[in-house]
Amino acid sequence: MPLFDTHAHLDSEQIHPHLDEILKKVDEEAMRITAIGTDPKSSHRCLELAKSHDNIFAAAGLHPNYCAKFEDSHWQAILEIVDHPKVVAIGETGLDKYWDDCPFDVQQKWFERHVDLSFRKNKPLVIHTRECEIEMIETLERLARDNRIIGIMHSFVGSEDTAKRCLDLGMYISFAGMVTFKKSAALREVAKTIPDDRILIETDSPYLSPHPLRSKRPNVPMYVEHTANCLAEVRGVSVEELVTQTFANANRVFNLEDTQK
Ligand SMILES: [Zn+2]
């Protein structure tokens, strides 16, 4: 059963030396990856990769950490590709209080644009949140339409309450390598509570390799199996079951069921 890494920065320079190996895995073993854009150039590059490989998909968006430099022309470059069938999500977008590269009100403005685009295009959001969990959930609840907002809380590290409020809005919860770390016992408890049909796995490569490969750099999509192993153990299911569930969930959130080969 192939794995689905729902969040990888395949256009990253650190990934570049490993790209051939990754693409081989994707083409030969039908592993699926969503390549996540962070600015116009990266979003376009992710789409180019997706166009040339059946099992790669792209997300287009402007990352909150870089949003101080974004102008309308950058947004236009996202709009140019958003209708392409291989652009399956809007992002990476979100809110971040850890890095103070961009004023929070400017981040909010860009985030709301992405949310609006997601509604208009009927494509899910890929949401980054760092050190502003309460602001994020309150923003999502405010912007939801008919109490719904479709998207992925990527590399989730929040509380059970936040997870529940996201789930109530119809969102998916995606776990990255962090959940495998020794110190992440509380996060593993949260991972136990996510319904079978809403859990996803990702690497967020090239960042933070999962245990036991934590010292390996860069993190690559193949390592997502370690996150799958950890979550299967925590949730008391077989690895095969966890992989099957997360693969089906990823196809559902990205609207890929019809294109499955
Ligand atoms: Zn990311």
Side-chain angles (χ1 to χ4, degrees), residues 7 9 36 38 63 92 154 204 207:
H7 194 113
H9 295 283
I36 309 288
T38 53
H63 196 289
E92 179 166 356
H154 122 75
D204 199 13
Y207 313 108

Side-chain angles (χ1 to χ4, degrees), residues 6-253:
T6 61
H7 194 113
H9 295 283
L10 292 186
D11 64 301
S12 140
E13 263 174 45
Q14 294 169 69
I15 292 293
H16 196 76
H18 305 271
L19 200 54
D20 285 345
E21 190 195 344
I22 294 167
L23 296 176
K24 204 172 153 215
K25 200 88 178 166
V26 161
D27 290 338
E28 290 177 3
E29 295 180 28
M31 178 185 188
R32 289 188 162 190
I33 303 173
T34 302
I36 309 288
T38 53
D39 64 20
K41 202 171 150 198
S42 125
S43 298
H44 281 249
R45 269 205 236 131
C46 289
L47 176 58
E48 287 313 309
L49 276 172
K51 280 184 190 169
S52 53
H53 297 273
D54 284 347
N55 290 313
I56 294 183
F57 308 91
L62 306 177
H63 196 289
N65 292 348
Y66 317 127
C67 72
K69 68 176 184 196
F70 293 139
E71 298 165 6
D72 279 339
S73 62
H74 295 98
W75 187 242
Q76 284 308 320
I78 298 299
L79 295 182
E80 254 171 45
I81 57 171
V82 74
D83 289 316
H84 193 285
K86 293 230 61 184
V87 173
V88 298
I90 312 293
E92 179 166 356
T93 181
L95 299 172
D96 191 319
K97 279 198 167 171
Y98 180 78
W99 302 103
D100 51 2
D101 299 333
C102 178
F104 200 67
D105 61 324
V106 176
Q107 293 187 38
Q108 289 265 8
K109 189 195 87 178
W110 282 107
F111 181 60
E112 292 193 19
R113 274 181 130 170
H114 286 80
V115 174
D116 178 62
L117 187 62
S118 156
F119 283 127
R120 281 194 286 125
K121 301 298 177 183
N122 201 23
K123 294 188 180 189
L125 293 157
V126 174
I127 299 178
H128 164 109
T129 312
R130 195 157 181 197
E131 309 225 330
C132 55
E133 198 177 326
I134 299 300
E135 289 92 333
M136 175 53 82
I137 188 66
E138 285 176 353
T139 302
L140 290 170
E141 287 170 349
R142 175 168 58 81
L143 297 175
R145 295 188 188 165
D146 300 325
N147 296 317
R148 300 282 293 169
I149 198 159
I150 298 300
I152 298 168
M153 298 304 282
H154 122 75
S155 193
F156 188 80
V157 292
S159 67
E160 187 178 337
D161 177 61
T162 302
K164 187 173 179 308
R165 286 163 75 178
C166 291
L167 292 163
D168 286 346
L169 292 172
M171 303 196 64
Y172 289 70
I173 307 291
S174 181
F175 292 96
M178 204 103 73
V179 76
T180 68
F181 296 173
K182 205 169 175 184
K183 61 165 191 192
S184 300
L187 185 58
R188 284 188 287 278
E189 288 304 309
V190 176
K192 278 186 195 169
T193 70
I194 310 302
D196 291 344
D197 63 349
R198 298 289 192 86
I199 188 167
L200 298 170
I201 51 174
E202 62 167 85
T203 54
D204 199 13
S205 25
Y207 313 108
L208 297 182
S209 300
H211 174 79
L213 306 177
R214 204 172 162 183
S215 58
K216 287 224 181 192
R217 293 203 183 106
N219 186 9
V220 290
M222 290 76 94
Y223 296 174
V224 79
E225 73 169 281
H226 296 282
T227 301
N229 293 344
C230 167
L231 288 172
E233 193 185 324
V234 161
R235 292 165 64 83
V237 295
S238 68
V239 174
E240 196 180 31
E241 198 174 330
L242 193 283
V243 169
T244 305
Q245 280 167 357
T246 51
F247 194 85
N249 293 344
N251 284 329
R252 191 180 326 106
V253 71

